[in-house]
Amino acid sequence: MGSQGGWGQSKEFLDLVKSIGEARSKAEEDRIVLSEIETLKRRIAEPDVPRRRMKEYIIRLVYVEMLGHDASFGYIHAVKMTHDDSLSLKRTGYLAVTLFLNEDHDLIILIVNTIQKDLRSDNYLVVCAALTAVCRLINEETIPAVLPQIVELLGHPKEAIRKKAVMALHRFYQRAPGSVSHLISNFRKRLCDNDPGVMGATLCPLFDLITADPSSYKDLVMSFVSILKQVAEKRLPKSYDYHQMPAPFIQIKLLKILALLGSGDKQASEQMYTILSDIFRKGESTSNIGNSILYQCICCVSSIYPNTKSLEAAADATSKFLKSDNHNLRYMGIDALGRLIKINPEIAEEHQLAVIDCLEDPDDTLKRKTFELLYKMTKSTNVEVIVDRMIDYMININDHHYKTEIASRCVELAEQYAPSNHWFIQTMNKVFEHAGDLVNVRVAHNLMRLIAEGFGEDDEGADSQLRSSAVESYLRILGEPKLPSVFLQVICWVLGEYGTMDGKCSASYIIGKLCDVAEAHANDDTVKAYATTAIMKIFAYEIAAGRKVEMLPECQALIDELSASHSTDLQQRAYELQALMGLDVHAVESVMPLDASCEDIEVDRSLPFLSSFVQQSLEKGARPYISESEQSGMSHVNIFRSQDPHEVSGHTLRFEAYQLPKPSPPASAPIAFAPPTDLVPVSDATYARDIQPPPKVPSSLDALSADVGVRLRLEGVQKKWGKPTYSSSAAPSTSSTSQKTVNGATHLDGVGSMSAQARDTRDNLYDSRRQQVEVSAEKQKLAASLFGASSSKNEKKPSSHKTIKGSAGNVEKPTIMVKAVTSSEPTEKTSVPPPPDLLDLGEPAPETKPSVDPFQQLEGLLGPAPVQSTPDSSVVAGPREPDLMALYSDIPMTNLSGTSTNPTVTDLYAVSKNPQGATNVSTLKKGPNPQDSLEKDALARQVGVTPSGKNPNLFRDLFG
């Protein structure tokens, strides 16, 4: 490679790369990089470093940074290189800066002027480099500095610059949608650009806009369809082909947009059917990119208003995916089938054997996708087979995240489609046994409620049989090792309620089992509490029945242990158990009635029976109860009342922003307060609306403010640091609620009415791959269980399973349902416009009122300004012109409520303005010299950035 190495780099740099590649450990690599950092620090600091050598140093700094080490000492040199006139050095500087810095870095402010200058360059390569840096470095505060130039570049003769300008505007929309909301029409215009690259770049911001609000772009459906048709007919240059497919990525993005626009809209969907059929017909399944287009076309068909021919074409493409030997294509086929069965469940029955093959495939990803498909097609006729398959799969996996998901789906399907309560309980037992710690506690409560309520009918025999079977199964399960805590809680509760009800098991036997559970889980206080309460119930039922229960040694040992427990809850349960055993029969029946778990208990939170006791205590001089909220309110009042600020404890947080003025000492004659210029008199109604006093607190704050008569107007005053705040006292924004029509469901005529001949043809195609191969009887039986006896029985069979309140989400019913057209009118929102920015360089729209130079207004602030006020002088009426000097003052001065001087008006998002323009400029009492502020504001205008940014330490002199 020569002494200079490749790419014009020195041999020293190539040796560095080689030594790092040959490093045998991380420690050795770190030693090499640290040595390189010391070398670079020394050489970069040398005076008069040649530009070519500096370029190599910057590249070596990038290499050091990419290896995870700090190269911040060279960031400023990369920023300086962006100012170079040489194109190679400038592009190197921009590359390094975009890799080194983020949008919030302090050095970003130094390259804004450079980017502005490069955006006006005659060399389009320099403009491209600047636009690339804009997408990475420009933050929300510096967007106005470069936005007008980028808008101008949308009409540049070079297509590469127009494309990058669209990408920059898209990036601005992602960071601050409000900054480019008036430029949305430019995206529509660039959609008709002569260059396909610019058009393709415009699809990305339009996709984001349509995702947020599809109804505003319904008029573009024909435009998107026309573009897709031209692309599919190969009218684009050959350079856009990929594996002989015409612009496949543009096709995929267009199909995604059409799916959003056609969802639930029959009129818009009818314009798409022809082009979708053409894509299905011309689709190539020999390459991955061709299959991607077909898959995206299936997703589009499943999202828009359904059509018979389009569904048939989508089903044929799905069949090709399912019959493929490629796992990726079969995965796509399963996913596509899950989308299509929402519209026509009969489509899944045509691919029964393919679904069974995917379910038994060793590929775990394909198996999980198949379970998602089975979850979507579950109904009362196949719920037993599907849930049993899911539980078997759940037992054999170790992924806790997916195990939780499978368990929740099993519970959801069992609660919704269970054919009987007995099967539901057995299924819940399996789920709790193998994934109990991963199941929501609500499921356990639903199970206990079901066992307690039974079938909800008058058949007591069936309910007793249900509870007896539950007790028998739980006694058998108690022998299993490592049962989950939640499942043990259910078992203890059921054994305590119904363990001795049928008489098959003695009370001593059940108590012994419960003691074993408490002993085996000595560290689980919840399980021990459930077991103790269950023992108490059994003793109570036996005493109420007149039978004597002997105290087992292990039970006595448990009571002694819990009586000395550190848990007060366990102590109380143990003492209650001892006290219960000493009561008579009538007392026990009153304390713990038999089978009273389903009875509603009314709780009166006001506790009226304590009223007499409270009244007596108050009469004896007791202090009345004060709620926590009132106590916090009183503490704030005490802080305000404090005359000495040092009296407040220094160890507590203080949340009040400003203290109220101290009340004047009482005097013989009332003192007349002269209203200061930085305070605005506020009426009682305004004060009551802005600041809500704590509930039920003595109105000392009101009295205090009444004494002074004035109050600081803090809302709307722009802060010196951080983001500006706006007035909260402006007119509230009114928005008309858009009416949304609920998607109706209508039966689709003709869907699934495929002739028997066509269905046989597809079956023959599938069977041709497996010639001379017989399908096993077991697989046929499984397919019949999963997909039902016939395709006509799609309705849900009435289930005897009782519906549980608060059960999981609903699974869609397997009927042919389609979405109706959803129409929504665009909502007009009247928002409070922000204060004008001196750098607001957006496109001005024609306006009847002549535009005013803000700097002339700023100069006008130097002289006295008349103050307009209402006759009652209580509330300043009308919107005010913004006080620009408040940006540089040390304290808030004036109220900026309801101002709107921004002349920018867009065709899509209109900003309503208040026609009244009353002006109120208060006399300035504090802050810097106004003349100095004007001179520094002119300097800020030359710099081209907003002084009040996130980096206050830079340009600190601009704030006076």
Side-chain angles (χ1 to χ4, degrees), residues 135-332:
C135 295
R136 292 291 304 272
L137 300 179
I138 295 299
N139 53 27
E140 183 177 353
E141 295 183 354
T142 52
I143 284 177
V146 298
L147 187 59
Q149 295 171 313
I150 292 178
V151 175
E152 292 178 2
L153 292 177
L154 290 174
H156 198 276
K158 278 289 184 180
E159 61 276 1
I161 294 181
R162 297 200 302 271
K163 178 180 177 180
K164 288 183 177 292
V166 171
M167 296 168 63
L169 288 180
H170 183 203
R171 185 60 175 163
F172 291 167
Y173 173 77
Q174 291 177 339
R175 289 182 177 174
S179 62
V180 294
S181 60
H182 58 288
L183 301 174
I184 301 301
S185 59
N186 289 278
F187 294 136
R188 291 173 173 260
K189 296 175 183 178
R190 290 304 101 197
L191 191 63
C192 304
D193 197 281
N194 295 329
D195 185 72
V198 180
M199 180 271 298
T202 310
L203 295 177
C204 296
L206 284 176
F207 176 75
D208 291 348
L209 292 168
I210 293 172
T211 302
D213 183 18
S215 60
S216 300
Y217 299 89
K218 295 287 186 179
D219 57 323
L220 294 179
V221 173
M222 281 304 301
S223 301
F224 290 127
V225 171
S226 177
I227 295 173
L228 182 58
K229 183 177 180 181
Q230 296 179 47
V231 173
E233 292 176 355
K234 299 185 178 181
R235 296 188 183 182
L236 269 63
K238 287 288 185 182
S239 58
Y240 288 91
D241 290 359
Y242 179 77
H243 287 272
Q244 300 180 354
M245 291 298 299
F249 302 105
I250 293 180
Q251 290 191 53
I252 291 174
K253 184 63 71 174
L254 284 170
L255 288 170
K256 289 182 178 180
I257 292 175
L258 292 178
L260 293 173
L261 293 175
S263 177
D265 191 340
K266 183 177 182 181
Q267 183 178 0
S269 301
E270 288 175 349
Q271 304 174 20
M272 310 175 190
Y273 294 149
T274 304
I275 185 59
L276 293 177
S277 300
D278 292 343
I279 294 178
F280 276 124
R281 187 176 65 256
K282 298 177 181 178
E284 293 288 341
S285 58
T286 56
S287 61
N288 287 335
I289 193 64
N291 291 322
S292 300
I293 295 177
L294 287 177
Y295 169 74
Q296 196 61 50
C297 204
I298 295 172
C299 295
C300 182
V301 168
S302 62
S303 299
I304 66 176
Y305 196 87
N307 173 263
T308 304
K309 293 183 179 180
S310 300
L311 285 175
E312 290 178 358
D316 291 338
T318 303
S319 178
K320 295 178 182 178
F321 291 155
L322 291 172
K323 295 173 183 178
S324 174
D325 294 331
N326 190 336
H327 283 184
N328 294 329
L329 296 183
R330 294 170 71 185
Y331 182 93
M332 286 201 315

Side-chain angles (χ1 to χ4, degrees), residues 441-463:
V441 180
R442 178 188 56 81
V443 179
H445 294 164
N446 288 342
L447 178 59
M448 289 187 285
R449 185 191 306 165
L450 173 67
I451 296 175
E453 295 178 354
F455 290 94
E457 300 174 356
D458 296 332
D459 190 0
E460 292 294 337
D463 294 344

Side-chain angles (χ1 to χ4, degrees), residues 141 718-725 887 946-952:
E141 295 183 354
Q718 189 167 1
K719 297 179 181 179
K720 184 169 181 179
W721 309 117
K723 296 184 179 179
T725 58
L887 294 172
T946 306
S948 57
K950 295 182 179 179
N951 306 317

Side-chain angles (χ1 to χ4, degrees), residues 439-597:
V439 180
N440 196 339
V441 180
R442 178 188 56 81
V443 179
H445 294 164
N446 288 342
L447 178 59
M448 289 187 285
R449 185 191 306 165
L450 173 67
I451 296 175
E453 295 178 354
F455 290 94
E457 300 174 356
D458 296 332
D459 190 0
E460 292 294 337
D463 294 344
S464 300
Q465 184 179 0
L466 172 68
R467 294 159 184 164
S468 298
S469 62
V471 170
E472 292 177 2
S473 61
Y474 288 155
L475 288 175
R476 184 175 60 255
I477 292 174
L478 278 178
E480 299 290 336
K482 297 182 179 180
L483 291 175
S485 176
V486 178
F487 192 30
L488 286 170
Q489 296 170 22
V490 176
I491 292 176
C492 291
W493 184 87
V494 172
L495 292 181
E497 288 284 342
Y498 311 108
T500 59
M501 181 172 293
D502 55 359
K504 295 182 180 179
C505 300
S506 62
S508 300
Y509 177 74
I510 301 297
I511 292 174
K513 285 288 186 181
L514 292 172
C515 292
D516 294 340
V517 170
E519 182 181 358
H521 300 81
N523 297 327
D524 194 338
D525 289 348
T526 306
V527 173
K528 293 167 70 174
Y530 268 83
T532 306
T533 302
I535 295 174
M536 189 188 311
K537 291 178 183 178
I538 294 176
F539 273 112
Y541 298 158
E542 294 298 311
I543 294 175
R547 294 187 293 268
K548 184 178 180 181
V549 185
E550 59 177 339
M551 175 62 68
L552 299 178
E554 55 266 27
C555 183
Q556 185 63 46
L558 176 64
I559 294 175
D560 296 340
E561 177 189 353
L562 298 183
S563 300
S565 174
H566 292 287
S567 172
T568 55
D569 177 61
L570 294 179
Q571 281 189 20
Q572 180 178 351
R573 293 174 190 264
Y575 288 131
E576 287 177 355
L577 175 57
Q578 290 178 339
L580 182 71
M581 297 173 62
L583 298 178
D584 57 0
V585 176
H586 299 289
V588 170
E589 289 179 350
S590 302
V591 172
M592 302 194 71
L594 181 64
D595 194 15
S597 57

